[in-house]
Amino acid sequence: MPDFELIREKATLMRRDIVEMIAEARSGHPGGSLSAADIVAVLYFGGLLRHDPADPNWPERDRFVLSKGHAAPVLYAALAEAGYFGRDHLKTLRKLGSMLQGHPDSKKTPGVEVSTGSLGQGLSISCGLAAGLGSKPDDDRTVFCLMGDGELQEGQVWEAAMFASHHALENLVAIVDENGLQIDGACTEVMCLGHVAQKFIAFGWHAIEVDGHDISALCDALAAARAHEGGPAVVVAHTVKGKGVSFMEGNAGWHGKAPSAEETAQALSELSITEGSAS
Amino acid sequence: MSRATREAFGDALVELAREGVDVVAVEADLSKSTTTAKLADAFPERFFNVGIAEQNMIDVAAGLAVSGKVAFTGSFAVFATGRAYDQVRNTVCYSLLDVKIAPTHSGVTVGPDGGSHQMVEDIALMRVLPGMRVLVPADYNAAKAALRAAALNPGPFYVRLGRVAAPEVYPQDFEFEVGRAYVLREGTDVTIAACGVEVSEALTAAEALALEGISAEVIDVATVKPLDVATLVASVSKTGRIVTCEEHSVLGGMGSAVSEVLSEACPVPTRRVGVADVFGTSGEPAELMEYFGLTSTHIVAAAKELLG
């Protein structure tokens, strides 16, 4: 049984890190990092992702691919909280010489499996990884691929979706952080995606829908997706962009903007550990 | 014996797999044309067909490479480099993955399919990518050896393969040395640097020039990146002039690469034989070689122009 309180605490710490590192960098993507914080916290601190911060290249580990690479701060926060590198690195985000690039770079950052940033590629890479790792029951290493909902507008995602079901990649779990917003506004207005879970089902996937900020439900959904046999599974997580910071929540304007000093103070006061969890 | 460089693709993959090299091929519905079907037949578990989805092809190969495989990709040059450029750039090269992009059907000798399918910008696109090595083998034996070298050297490679039979230039046991240009004929009056199908045209041109008392040195620039600057400089230091020839646009290809380095290291009068900043067109390969000015006759003319 995962320790829900611990996960909630980690998620709040990660949200604080996200706000602080983006403020320090004076640029970055807080909205989609905050919407994914609970998902990533469940993976890294809920026992869903088998990994070892002391040995990032441990062969038996699962793989996490952050396809929505602009949400790098959520990954960096998780990696730092897990101990892949010191938290002091977080304040170097996006700066010259930093190992924490604006988008994930596997050559520079321990714990980053795959470089991402150009949207729509992570699921294809995850397909190749899943196909290359081996299959159940001999090999249960699982590839988790986190995508944004706006990202699903990239046609390549559906090329990969076809591939995954055609090859019955049962060691592949896709997660969609469905926060409903993209840079130019609501996904439904920019380019409507329709029903995401049904689309994946039509492509031959097993789909699970969940509240992406309900830690317990997320744990169940990801565990069920991981255990699914016979083909790939997707967890469509309904989230709020900017979750945890009142003035960022549901506001597309916070997709790619750093908070001011005042806004940062306000955000951190809302993301208090002692006063309870972020959800 | 004349054989197409694409024939070497499937043969090399099967050989490497038999030797225990952990190769896989990711194809986009062209396995018979590219000959990756040979691997699919011999080692079905090493073959992945993504259907008509070249972007997915490159990134599935990237994922397989991350999992520890040596991943080759198929398809035609125009799709594997053009349509999937972002995947090659941001995923394969950015992380220096073990992906070997070896599409067939490069250049105008694709023939009747026409300009949409005749890729003459691929060397340009590939060679500007950090970390990418670009190999342009001249014949079947060189292609097989180049594919083997790509498999055994870590990191991204582009191996340019063609559709039509190319006259044999190299022996069967040829070993391809990445980064080396091969001096195939020594000469003193003019250097002819060629790659791919143009190598045999250059050798024919050198024969014709010899009949007129002109001594041409022929260099096969089989690796366009990294370029063998020392061999090129040594040659033009002796001859004082160079003709480059390639089945590629004169913009951005091997001729451009050679001109870039020689203009700094040893500037000499230069002529570039290649496709003159236009798209291809339908026709038979031999007709198109003539139409686009790529035959030995055109190389001879360019050399004579330099010799005044």
Side-chain angles (χ1 to χ4, degrees):
Chain A
M1 172 72 83
D3 182 343
F4 300 139
E5 265 320 301
L6 170 85
I7 300 169
R8 284 192 191 98
E9 189 184 311
K10 289 290 187 187
T12 303
L13 285 169
M14 284 163 55
R15 285 193 163 92
R16 292 178 65 87
D17 287 340
I18 289 164
V19 170
E20 284 186 295
M21 77 175 98
I22 293 173
E24 175 71 30
R26 295 198 295 246
S27 71
H29 298 84
S33 299
L34 292 168
S35 66
D38 296 312
I39 298 164
V40 177
V42 164
L43 284 171
Y44 278 86
F45 305 107
L48 267 301
L49 184 81
R50 199 161 55 207
H51 69 119
D52 180 4
D55 184 7
N57 297 317
W58 178 42
E60 295 310 309
R61 73 195 186 280
D62 294 325
R63 314 298 168 96
F64 177 63
V65 175
L66 182 67
S67 190
K68 47 176 285 185
H70 56 279
V74 73
L75 176 58
Y76 298 156
L79 294 174
E81 292 295 340
Y84 280 85
F85 46 80
R87 297 188 70 262
D88 52 333
H89 283 282
L90 297 179
K91 59 179 182 289
T92 69
L93 173 71
R94 289 178 162 250
K95 290 181 179 162
L96 183 64
S98 174
M99 72 173 189
L100 302 183
Q101 295 290 296
H103 293 79
D105 185 337
S106 63
K107 293 304 243 190
K108 293 196 162 76
T109 315
V112 171
E113 301 281 0
V114 169
S115 301
T116 50
S118 172
L119 292 174
Q121 297 195 38
L123 192 59
S124 297
I125 301 166
S126 299
C127 283
L129 245 174
L133 284 181
S135 48
K136 296 174 184 172
D138 308 329
D139 189 342
D140 76 335
R141 288 177 294 176
T142 300
V143 182
F144 293 91
C145 175
L146 177 59
M147 293 179 285
D149 50 354
E151 179 179 10
L152 304 182
Q153 291 159 357
E154 290 280 7
Q156 187 186 346
V157 170
W158 303 101
E159 296 181 0
M162 271 185 280
F163 182 94
S165 58
H166 183 86
H167 289 280
L169 298 177
E170 54 187 3
N171 58 344
L172 174 63
V173 173
I175 307 162
V176 178
D177 174 12
E178 193 181 42
N179 60 37
L181 295 175
Q182 57 190 112
I183 297 178
D184 274 350
C187 298
T188 50
E189 287 169 20
V190 175
M191 183 49 61
C192 187
L193 294 150
H195 196 284
V196 170
Q198 282 176 9
K199 276 197 164 60
F200 273 96
I201 290 167
F203 274 78
W205 287 56
H206 176 64
I208 302 168
E209 299 203 62
V210 67
D211 176 346
H213 301 303
D214 180 333
I215 298 295
S216 157
L218 269 174
C219 286
D220 289 346
L222 287 166
R226 185 186 178 127
H228 178 71
E229 290 180 356
V234 61
V235 173
V236 179
H238 304 287
T239 59
V240 175
K241 196 147 181 166
K243 176 71 178 177
V245 177
S246 60
F247 57 90
M248 290 185 184
E249 286 191 2
N251 184 343
W254 285 100
H255 172 88
K257 188 174 75 170
S260 67
E262 222 167 67
E263 288 162 339
T264 302
Q266 162 82 24
L268 292 176
S269 75
E270 293 179 19
L271 295 166
S272 166
I273 303 291
T274 51
E275 288 170 25
S277 76
S279 59
Chain B
M1 189 170 102
S2 280
R3 296 175 77 181
T5 50
R6 66 170 157 150
E7 294 286 339
F9 194 9
D11 292 342
L13 288 171
V14 170
E15 264 187 30
L16 288 160
R18 287 213 172 107
E19 290 169 21
V21 180
D22 201 1
V23 289
V24 292
V26 188
E27 181 57 86
D29 196 37
L30 290 168
S31 64
K32 289 181 185 67
S33 295
T34 65
T35 77
T36 55
K38 293 176 191 169
L39 182 73
D41 290 342
F43 296 92
E45 72 284 2
R46 295 188 175 278
F47 177 79
F48 298 88
N49 201 332
V50 299
I52 308 163
E54 295 79 13
Q55 300 174 11
N56 196 42
M57 172 183 78
I58 298 293
D59 278 343
V60 165
L64 286 160
V66 173
S67 83
K69 312 282 183 195
V70 176
F72 281 82
T73 62
S75 192
F76 291 169
V78 67
F79 309 126
T81 66
R83 191 168 187 131
Y85 192 70
D86 183 41
Q87 287 71 17
V88 177
R89 180 193 187 274
N90 272 318
T91 297
V92 174
C93 289
Y94 196 72
S95 297
L96 300 176
L97 300 180
D98 263 342
V99 177
K100 324 295 178 178
I101 296 154
T104 63
H105 294 60
S106 61
V108 297
T109 52
V110 166
D113 275 355
S116 60
H117 284 55
Q118 293 165 5
M119 187 48 158
V120 293
E121 309 96 57
D122 52 328
I123 296 175
L125 289 175
M126 293 295 105
R127 80 179 180 91
V128 294
L129 292 171
M132 182 64 95
R133 272 75 50 87
V134 178
L135 313 183
V136 186
D139 69 358
Y140 173 90
N141 291 333
K144 209 160 146 191
L147 289 156
R148 168 176 294 274
L152 301 180
N153 283 285
F157 272 89
Y158 180 65
V159 186
R160 190 183 206 228
L161 303 172
R163 171 175 173 257
V164 293
E168 190 170 283
V169 176
Y170 291 98
Q172 214 177 339
D173 60 354
F174 177 63
E175 281 186 34
F176 194 104
E177 206 177 308
V178 175
R180 178 173 167 197
Y182 295 88
V183 179
L184 299 180
R185 178 184 176 118
E186 292 190 2
T188 51
D189 299 331
V190 60
T191 299
I192 304 175
C195 61
V197 296
E198 290 295 289
V199 171
S200 59
E201 295 293 334
L203 289 167
T204 306
E207 290 287 341
L209 288 165
L211 292 177
E212 300 186 41
I214 299 166
S215 165
E217 179 146 299
V218 177
I219 300 177
D220 176 7
V221 186
T223 303
V224 174
K225 184 185 181 182
L227 205 57
D228 184 349
V229 180
T231 296
L232 289 162
V233 168
S235 180
V236 298
S237 299
K238 179 174 60 175
T239 63
R241 51 190 69 81
I242 186 167
V243 177
T244 63
C245 36
E246 62 193 313
E247 191 199 6
H248 184 276
S249 170
V250 290
L251 304 182
M254 182 272 284
S256 292
V258 169
S259 299
E260 285 161 15
V261 298
L262 291 185
S263 68
E264 288 183 348
C266 186
V268 291
T270 302
R271 289 291 179 275
R272 286 170 296 142
V273 170
V275 178
D277 193 21
V278 291
F279 288 112
T281 188
S282 287
E284 290 306 317
E287 291 176 320
L288 293 170
M289 289 285 283
E290 183 67 36
Y291 181 82
F292 287 106
L294 303 175
T295 68
S296 60
T297 313
H298 296 94
I299 299 169
V300 166
K304 284 188 179 173
E305 207 181 303
L306 281 177
L307 286 155

